[in-house]
Amino acid sequence: VLQGILHEANRGQQIITDLETYLDNHSRELERFQKDDPVRILKEILDQYTETCKEQEINCRANLTHPNSLWIRPTDIGRLFTELLGRSFTAVKKLENRDVQIHVSKSGEAVEFVIAHSGTDNGCNRFLPKDSEHWSREGKSAGNGIGLSLCERISKEHGGSFHCRSDAAAGTRYHLTLP
């Protein structure tokens, strides 16, 4: 009888351990959607880069005139903008032309975010619009593509879309749409 009780106690402890592990690994998924303004989140993240832009003489222009409350997971949207802005500022810091432009506009019920910079991002070729003649999931990248993959996943989880395009002559454009 005692062995049975000990066995059940150990099994209960294993269930608790498994649940704690699951919650640690999936806490992001458990964050609830809430009505929030992604433009406000973008502004807060841009504010964190103000000193970096001044120190590295990066010209950052932002047109954020269309604030909108959407059903989003604010933490995920923050991660997405942090990734795209971080990639942008890293790409231009060694260039002569250090331009980063951010434009937000409304398209019907959706909000479109475009982050463009004068540098290149080799990971973008995997995330061209699927109707592009150059679209390929086999795109070659200098990085591992994990950051852009997360941006794509977050946008899809929000019912939106994400793609980007990059070449040496035209620079890079990240395009995000959230419904």
Side-chain angles (χ1 to χ4, degrees):
V1 172
L2 289 176
Q3 283 184 334
I5 292 172
L6 182 59
H7 173 74
E8 290 302 316
N10 287 336
R11 200 174 111 201
Q13 182 60 44
Q14 185 60 47
I15 290 170
I16 290 170
T17 301
D18 291 346
L19 182 58
E20 287 172 344
T21 302
Y22 176 83
L23 290 174
D24 287 344
N25 293 334
H26 296 88
S27 61
R28 184 200 59 76
E29 295 171 13
L30 298 175
E31 181 185 3
R32 292 208 167 124
F33 279 84
Q34 62 189 50
K35 200 81 162 161
D36 203 341
D37 181 4
V39 175
R40 178 194 60 78
I41 296 168
L42 179 57
K43 285 179 182 177
E44 287 178 3
I45 294 167
L46 271 173
D47 287 346
Q48 295 171 12
Y49 282 105
T50 301
E51 281 303 311
T52 301
C53 290
K54 285 180 185 174
E55 289 170 4
Q56 297 179 4
E57 298 176 353
I58 296 172
N59 180 22
C60 183
R61 292 181 305 231
N63 173 6
L64 308 176
T65 58
H66 295 280
N68 233 10
S69 286
L70 303 174
W71 286 100
I72 60 173
R73 289 195 300 234
T75 304
D76 281 352
I77 297 302
R79 287 180 184 138
L80 186 148
F81 288 140
T82 299
E83 174 67 24
L84 297 181
L85 291 172
R87 291 177 87 92
S88 297
F89 294 133
T90 299
V92 301
K93 72 180 177 183
K94 294 182 181 176
L95 299 177
E96 207 171 295
N97 179 10
R98 297 182 183 115
D99 287 332
V100 176
Q101 297 176 13
I102 301 154
H103 182 74
V104 179
S105 62
K106 194 146 163 82
S107 176
E109 292 298 314
V111 179
E112 293 182 352
F113 299 84
V114 176
I115 299 174
H117 62 80
S118 51
T120 57
D121 186 334
N122 293 331
C124 278
N125 294 337
R126 296 177 48 220
F127 297 93
L128 291 169
K130 290 187 174 147
D131 58 352
S132 167
E133 63 186 68
H134 304 291
W135 184 82
S136 169
R137 280 311 238 164
E138 303 300 320
K140 294 180 180 156
S141 169
N144 58 22
I146 293 201
L148 293 176
S149 294
L150 288 174
C151 292
E152 181 182 49
R153 188 188 81 216
I154 290 169
S155 68
K156 285 183 178 181
E157 287 175 350
H158 283 77
S161 65
F162 171 79
H163 61 270
C164 64
R165 183 175 304 231
S166 182
D167 69 49
T172 300
R173 288 175 60 95
Y174 305 107
H175 187 271
L176 167 70
T177 303
L178 295 174

